[in-house]
Short mmCIF file of all heavy atoms in Angstrom, two decimals:
data_model
loop_
_atom_site.label_atom_id
_atom_site.label_comp_id
_atom_site.label_asym_id
_atom_site.label_seq_id
_atom_site.Cartn_x
_atom_site.Cartn_y
_atom_site.Cartn_z
N LEU E 1 -17.27 -14.06 -27.52
CA LEU E 1 -16.60 -12.76 -27.68
C LEU E 1 -15.24 -12.86 -28.37
O LEU E 1 -14.77 -11.89 -28.94
CB LEU E 1 -16.42 -12.08 -26.32
CG LEU E 1 -17.69 -11.56 -25.66
CD1 LEU E 1 -17.39 -11.01 -24.29
CD2 LEU E 1 -18.36 -10.50 -26.53
N GLY E 2 -14.62 -14.00 -28.26
CA GLY E 2 -13.28 -14.14 -28.83
C GLY E 2 -12.20 -13.56 -27.94
O GLY E 2 -11.07 -13.35 -28.38
N CYS E 3 -12.54 -13.29 -26.69
CA CYS E 3 -11.57 -12.83 -25.69
C CYS E 3 -12.12 -13.15 -24.31
O CYS E 3 -13.31 -13.40 -24.15
CB CYS E 3 -11.25 -11.34 -25.84
SG CYS E 3 -12.65 -10.24 -25.60
N ASP E 4 -11.24 -13.16 -23.34
CA ASP E 4 -11.60 -13.57 -21.98
C ASP E 4 -11.80 -12.34 -21.10
O ASP E 4 -10.85 -11.77 -20.59
CB ASP E 4 -10.50 -14.46 -21.42
CG ASP E 4 -10.84 -15.05 -20.06
OD1 ASP E 4 -11.85 -14.63 -19.45
OD2 ASP E 4 -10.08 -15.93 -19.62
N ILE E 5 -13.07 -11.95 -20.91
CA ILE E 5 -13.36 -10.74 -20.14
C ILE E 5 -13.17 -10.93 -18.65
O ILE E 5 -13.36 -9.98 -17.89
CB ILE E 5 -14.76 -10.18 -20.45
CG1 ILE E 5 -15.86 -11.16 -20.03
CG2 ILE E 5 -14.88 -9.79 -21.92
CD1 ILE E 5 -17.25 -10.57 -20.06
N SER E 6 -12.76 -12.11 -18.22
CA SER E 6 -12.48 -12.30 -16.79
C SER E 6 -11.11 -11.74 -16.41
O SER E 6 -10.79 -11.61 -15.24
CB SER E 6 -12.55 -13.78 -16.41
OG SER E 6 -11.46 -14.51 -16.95
N THR E 7 -10.33 -11.36 -17.43
CA THR E 7 -9.03 -10.74 -17.18
C THR E 7 -9.11 -9.26 -17.54
O THR E 7 -9.88 -8.87 -18.42
CB THR E 7 -7.92 -11.39 -18.04
OG1 THR E 7 -8.16 -11.08 -19.42
CG2 THR E 7 -7.89 -12.91 -17.84
N PRO E 8 -8.30 -8.42 -16.87
CA PRO E 8 -8.30 -6.99 -17.23
C PRO E 8 -7.94 -6.76 -18.70
O PRO E 8 -8.53 -5.91 -19.35
CB PRO E 8 -7.24 -6.39 -16.31
CG PRO E 8 -7.16 -7.33 -15.15
CD PRO E 8 -7.43 -8.70 -15.71
N GLU E 9 -7.02 -7.56 -19.21
CA GLU E 9 -6.62 -7.40 -20.62
C GLU E 9 -7.76 -7.76 -21.56
O GLU E 9 -8.03 -7.06 -22.53
CB GLU E 9 -5.40 -8.28 -20.93
CG GLU E 9 -4.17 -7.98 -20.10
CD GLU E 9 -4.21 -8.58 -18.69
OE1 GLU E 9 -4.97 -9.53 -18.43
OE2 GLU E 9 -3.45 -8.04 -17.84
N GLY E 10 -8.42 -8.88 -21.27
CA GLY E 10 -9.54 -9.31 -22.11
C GLY E 10 -10.71 -8.35 -22.05
O GLY E 10 -11.34 -8.05 -23.07
N LEU E 11 -11.00 -7.86 -20.85
CA LEU E 11 -12.09 -6.89 -20.71
C LEU E 11 -11.75 -5.61 -21.47
O LEU E 11 -12.60 -5.05 -22.18
CB LEU E 11 -12.34 -6.58 -19.23
CG LEU E 11 -13.47 -5.61 -18.92
CD1 LEU E 11 -14.81 -6.12 -19.47
CD2 LEU E 11 -13.56 -5.40 -17.40
N GLY E 12 -10.51 -5.19 -21.36
CA GLY E 12 -10.07 -4.01 -22.11
C GLY E 12 -10.19 -4.22 -23.61
O GLY E 12 -10.63 -3.32 -24.34
N GLU E 13 -9.81 -5.40 -24.07
CA GLU E 13 -9.92 -5.71 -25.49
C GLU E 13 -11.37 -5.68 -25.94
O GLU E 13 -11.70 -5.13 -27.01
CB GLU E 13 -9.31 -7.09 -25.78
CG GLU E 13 -9.43 -7.51 -27.23
CD GLU E 13 -8.93 -8.92 -27.50
OE1 GLU E 13 -8.26 -9.52 -26.63
OE2 GLU E 13 -9.22 -9.43 -28.60
N ALA E 14 -12.26 -6.28 -25.16
CA ALA E 14 -13.68 -6.30 -25.52
C ALA E 14 -14.24 -4.89 -25.61
O ALA E 14 -15.00 -4.57 -26.53
CB ALA E 14 -14.47 -7.12 -24.50
N ARG E 15 -13.84 -4.05 -24.67
CA ARG E 15 -14.31 -2.66 -24.70
C ARG E 15 -13.72 -1.90 -25.87
O ARG E 15 -14.42 -1.15 -26.56
CB ARG E 15 -13.98 -1.97 -23.38
CG ARG E 15 -14.85 -2.47 -22.23
CD ARG E 15 -14.49 -1.84 -20.92
NE ARG E 15 -15.43 -2.25 -19.87
CZ ARG E 15 -15.15 -2.25 -18.60
NH1 ARG E 15 -13.96 -1.85 -18.15
NH2 ARG E 15 -16.06 -2.64 -17.72
N GLU E 16 -12.43 -2.09 -26.10
CA GLU E 16 -11.75 -1.41 -27.20
C GLU E 16 -12.35 -1.79 -28.55
O GLU E 16 -12.53 -0.95 -29.43
CB GLU E 16 -10.26 -1.74 -27.17
CG GLU E 16 -9.45 -1.04 -28.24
CD GLU E 16 -7.97 -1.39 -28.13
OE1 GLU E 16 -7.41 -1.24 -27.02
OE2 GLU E 16 -7.39 -1.82 -29.15
N ARG E 17 -12.67 -3.05 -28.70
CA ARG E 17 -13.23 -3.55 -29.97
C ARG E 17 -14.76 -3.40 -30.02
O ARG E 17 -15.39 -3.79 -31.00
CB ARG E 17 -12.84 -5.01 -30.17
CG ARG E 17 -11.35 -5.20 -30.39
CD ARG E 17 -10.92 -6.66 -30.49
NE ARG E 17 -11.72 -7.40 -31.44
CZ ARG E 17 -11.89 -8.73 -31.38
NH1 ARG E 17 -11.33 -9.44 -30.42
NH2 ARG E 17 -12.63 -9.35 -32.27
N ASP E 18 -15.35 -2.83 -28.96
CA ASP E 18 -16.79 -2.59 -28.86
C ASP E 18 -17.60 -3.88 -29.04
O ASP E 18 -18.67 -3.88 -29.65
CB ASP E 18 -17.21 -1.53 -29.89
CG ASP E 18 -18.44 -0.75 -29.45
OD1 ASP E 18 -18.82 -0.82 -28.27
OD2 ASP E 18 -19.03 -0.08 -30.32
N LEU E 19 -17.08 -4.98 -28.49
CA LEU E 19 -17.71 -6.28 -28.67
C LEU E 19 -19.07 -6.39 -27.99
O LEU E 19 -19.95 -7.10 -28.48
CB LEU E 19 -16.79 -7.39 -28.15
CG LEU E 19 -15.49 -7.57 -28.93
CD1 LEU E 19 -14.63 -8.66 -28.27
CD2 LEU E 19 -15.76 -7.91 -30.38
N PHE E 20 -19.23 -5.69 -26.87
CA PHE E 20 -20.52 -5.78 -26.18
C PHE E 20 -21.63 -5.23 -27.08
O PHE E 20 -22.71 -5.81 -27.17
CB PHE E 20 -20.47 -5.06 -24.84
CG PHE E 20 -19.43 -5.62 -23.91
CD1 PHE E 20 -18.36 -4.86 -23.51
CD2 PHE E 20 -19.52 -6.93 -23.47
CE1 PHE E 20 -17.39 -5.39 -22.66
CE2 PHE E 20 -18.55 -7.48 -22.63
CZ PHE E 20 -17.49 -6.70 -22.23
N LYS E 21 -21.36 -4.15 -27.78
CA LYS E 21 -22.34 -3.60 -28.70
C LYS E 21 -22.40 -4.42 -29.99
O LYS E 21 -23.48 -4.73 -30.49
CB LYS E 21 -22.01 -2.14 -29.02
CG LYS E 21 -23.01 -1.49 -29.94
CD LYS E 21 -22.70 -0.04 -30.18
CE LYS E 21 -23.72 0.58 -31.10
NZ LYS E 21 -23.43 1.99 -31.38
N MET E 22 -21.24 -4.77 -30.51
CA MET E 22 -21.19 -5.43 -31.82
C MET E 22 -21.70 -6.88 -31.78
O MET E 22 -22.25 -7.35 -32.77
CB MET E 22 -19.76 -5.41 -32.36
CG MET E 22 -19.19 -4.01 -32.53
SD MET E 22 -20.18 -2.95 -33.60
CE MET E 22 -20.01 -3.80 -35.15
N ARG E 23 -21.52 -7.57 -30.67
CA ARG E 23 -21.93 -8.97 -30.60
C ARG E 23 -23.04 -9.23 -29.58
O ARG E 23 -24.01 -9.90 -29.87
CB ARG E 23 -20.72 -9.86 -30.27
CG ARG E 23 -19.71 -9.86 -31.38
CD ARG E 23 -18.61 -10.86 -31.12
NE ARG E 23 -17.57 -10.72 -32.14
CZ ARG E 23 -16.49 -11.44 -32.16
NH1 ARG E 23 -16.26 -12.34 -31.22
NH2 ARG E 23 -15.59 -11.26 -33.12
N CYS E 24 -22.86 -8.72 -28.38
CA CYS E 24 -23.77 -9.08 -27.29
C CYS E 24 -25.20 -8.60 -27.51
O CYS E 24 -26.14 -9.28 -27.10
CB CYS E 24 -23.24 -8.56 -25.96
SG CYS E 24 -21.65 -9.31 -25.50
N ARG E 25 -25.36 -7.48 -28.17
CA ARG E 25 -26.72 -7.00 -28.46
C ARG E 25 -27.50 -8.06 -29.24
O ARG E 25 -28.67 -8.31 -28.99
CB ARG E 25 -26.69 -5.70 -29.24
CG ARG E 25 -26.23 -4.51 -28.44
CD ARG E 25 -26.11 -3.26 -29.28
NE ARG E 25 -27.37 -2.52 -29.19
CZ ARG E 25 -28.21 -2.34 -30.21
NH1 ARG E 25 -27.93 -2.80 -31.39
NH2 ARG E 25 -29.32 -1.66 -30.03
N GLN E 26 -26.84 -8.69 -30.20
CA GLN E 26 -27.50 -9.74 -30.99
C GLN E 26 -27.76 -10.98 -30.15
O GLN E 26 -28.80 -11.62 -30.28
CB GLN E 26 -26.68 -10.11 -32.22
CG GLN E 26 -27.42 -11.03 -33.19
CD GLN E 26 -28.68 -10.38 -33.76
OE1 GLN E 26 -28.64 -9.27 -34.25
NE2 GLN E 26 -29.80 -11.09 -33.69
N TYR E 27 -26.83 -11.33 -29.27
CA TYR E 27 -27.04 -12.48 -28.39
C TYR E 27 -28.25 -12.24 -27.48
O TYR E 27 -29.04 -13.16 -27.25
CB TYR E 27 -25.80 -12.77 -27.55
CG TYR E 27 -24.53 -13.03 -28.34
CD1 TYR E 27 -23.29 -12.66 -27.83
CD2 TYR E 27 -24.56 -13.65 -29.59
CE1 TYR E 27 -22.12 -12.90 -28.54
CE2 TYR E 27 -23.40 -13.88 -30.31
CZ TYR E 27 -22.18 -13.51 -29.78
OH TYR E 27 -21.02 -13.74 -30.48
N VAL E 28 -28.38 -11.02 -26.97
CA VAL E 28 -29.52 -10.67 -26.12
C VAL E 28 -30.81 -10.84 -26.91
O VAL E 28 -31.76 -11.50 -26.45
CB VAL E 28 -29.38 -9.22 -25.59
CG1 VAL E 28 -30.69 -8.70 -25.01
CG2 VAL E 28 -28.25 -9.12 -24.57
N ARG E 29 -30.86 -10.26 -28.10
CA ARG E 29 -32.07 -10.36 -28.94
C ARG E 29 -32.40 -11.82 -29.24
O ARG E 29 -33.54 -12.26 -29.07
CB ARG E 29 -31.88 -9.57 -30.23
CG ARG E 29 -33.06 -9.70 -31.19
CD ARG E 29 -32.91 -8.82 -32.41
NE ARG E 29 -32.87 -7.41 -32.05
CZ ARG E 29 -33.93 -6.69 -31.68
NH1 ARG E 29 -35.12 -7.24 -31.60
NH2 ARG E 29 -33.79 -5.41 -31.38
N ASP E 30 -31.42 -12.56 -29.69
CA ASP E 30 -31.66 -13.95 -30.06
C ASP E 30 -32.11 -14.79 -28.87
O ASP E 30 -32.99 -15.63 -29.01
CB ASP E 30 -30.41 -14.57 -30.69
CG ASP E 30 -30.17 -14.09 -32.10
OD1 ASP E 30 -31.02 -13.37 -32.68
OD2 ASP E 30 -29.11 -14.44 -32.65
N ALA E 31 -31.53 -14.56 -27.70
CA ALA E 31 -31.91 -15.34 -26.52
C ALA E 31 -33.39 -15.15 -26.21
O ALA E 31 -34.12 -16.13 -25.98
CB ALA E 31 -31.05 -14.95 -25.33
N VAL E 32 -33.85 -13.92 -26.23
CA VAL E 32 -35.26 -13.66 -25.94
C VAL E 32 -36.15 -14.26 -27.03
O VAL E 32 -37.17 -14.89 -26.73
CB VAL E 32 -35.53 -12.14 -25.77
CG1 VAL E 32 -37.02 -11.86 -25.65
CG2 VAL E 32 -34.78 -11.60 -24.57
N GLU E 33 -35.77 -14.09 -28.27
CA GLU E 33 -36.57 -14.64 -29.36
C GLU E 33 -36.66 -16.16 -29.28
O GLU E 33 -37.73 -16.73 -29.50
CB GLU E 33 -36.01 -14.20 -30.71
CG GLU E 33 -36.26 -12.72 -30.97
CD GLU E 33 -35.64 -12.21 -32.27
OE1 GLU E 33 -34.88 -12.98 -32.93
OE2 GLU E 33 -35.89 -11.05 -32.61
N ILE E 34 -35.56 -16.82 -28.95
CA ILE E 34 -35.57 -18.28 -28.83
C ILE E 34 -36.47 -18.71 -27.68
O ILE E 34 -37.27 -19.64 -27.82
CB ILE E 34 -34.14 -18.83 -28.66
CG1 ILE E 34 -33.31 -18.59 -29.94
CG2 ILE E 34 -34.17 -20.33 -28.35
CD1 ILE E 34 -31.81 -18.81 -29.74
N VAL E 35 -36.34 -18.06 -26.53
CA VAL E 35 -37.20 -18.39 -25.38
C VAL E 35 -38.67 -18.22 -25.76
O VAL E 35 -39.48 -19.10 -25.50
CB VAL E 35 -36.85 -17.53 -24.14
CG1 VAL E 35 -37.92 -17.66 -23.06
CG2 VAL E 35 -35.51 -17.91 -23.57
N GLU E 36 -38.99 -17.09 -26.36
CA GLU E 36 -40.39 -16.85 -26.72
C GLU E 36 -40.90 -17.92 -27.69
O GLU E 36 -42.02 -18.41 -27.55
CB GLU E 36 -40.54 -15.47 -27.35
CG GLU E 36 -40.45 -14.34 -26.35
CD GLU E 36 -40.75 -13.01 -27.00
OE1 GLU E 36 -40.19 -12.72 -28.08
OE2 GLU E 36 -41.52 -12.25 -26.41
N GLU E 37 -40.07 -18.25 -28.66
CA GLU E 37 -40.47 -19.27 -29.65
C GLU E 37 -40.69 -20.62 -28.98
O GLU E 37 -41.71 -21.28 -29.22
CB GLU E 37 -39.37 -19.38 -30.71
CG GLU E 37 -39.62 -20.45 -31.76
CD GLU E 37 -38.47 -20.55 -32.72
OE1 GLU E 37 -38.06 -19.52 -33.29
OE2 GLU E 37 -37.96 -21.67 -32.89
N ILE E 38 -39.77 -21.02 -28.14
CA ILE E 38 -39.90 -22.33 -27.48
C ILE E 38 -41.10 -22.35 -26.55
O ILE E 38 -41.89 -23.29 -26.56
CB ILE E 38 -38.59 -22.66 -26.70
CG1 ILE E 38 -37.46 -22.96 -27.68
CG2 ILE E 38 -38.83 -23.84 -25.76
CD1 ILE E 38 -36.09 -23.12 -27.02
N LEU E 39 -41.25 -21.31 -25.72
CA LEU E 39 -42.34 -21.31 -24.75
C LEU E 39 -43.71 -21.14 -25.40
O LEU E 39 -44.70 -21.67 -24.89
CB LEU E 39 -42.11 -20.25 -23.69
CG LEU E 39 -40.93 -20.49 -22.75
CD1 LEU E 39 -40.83 -19.38 -21.72
CD2 LEU E 39 -40.99 -21.85 -22.08
#
């Protein structure tokens, strides 16, 4: 994420920069695709 969401400031930054949508959605997709490919 490039920030520490374990802190209120970092969590606020992640939300403000919309990192969960901008980055995490792709991490979710890739994780499932990698698992499916390997298995």
Side-chain angles (χ1 to χ4, degrees):
L1 289 176
C3 62
D4 185 350
I5 64 169
S6 70
T7 67
E9 300 79 20
L11 182 58
E13 178 184 347
R15 288 178 174 156
E16 182 178 308
R17 293 176 50 205
D18 208 14
L19 295 177
F20 300 116
K21 181 177 180 181
M22 301 303 295
R23 294 187 186 178
C24 297
R25 289 175 93 247
Q26 189 62 51
Y27 302 148
V28 166
R29 176 175 298 285
D30 285 353
V32 173
E33 289 176 353
I34 294 167
V35 168
E36 286 186 312
E37 177 183 308
I38 290 172
L39 293 181

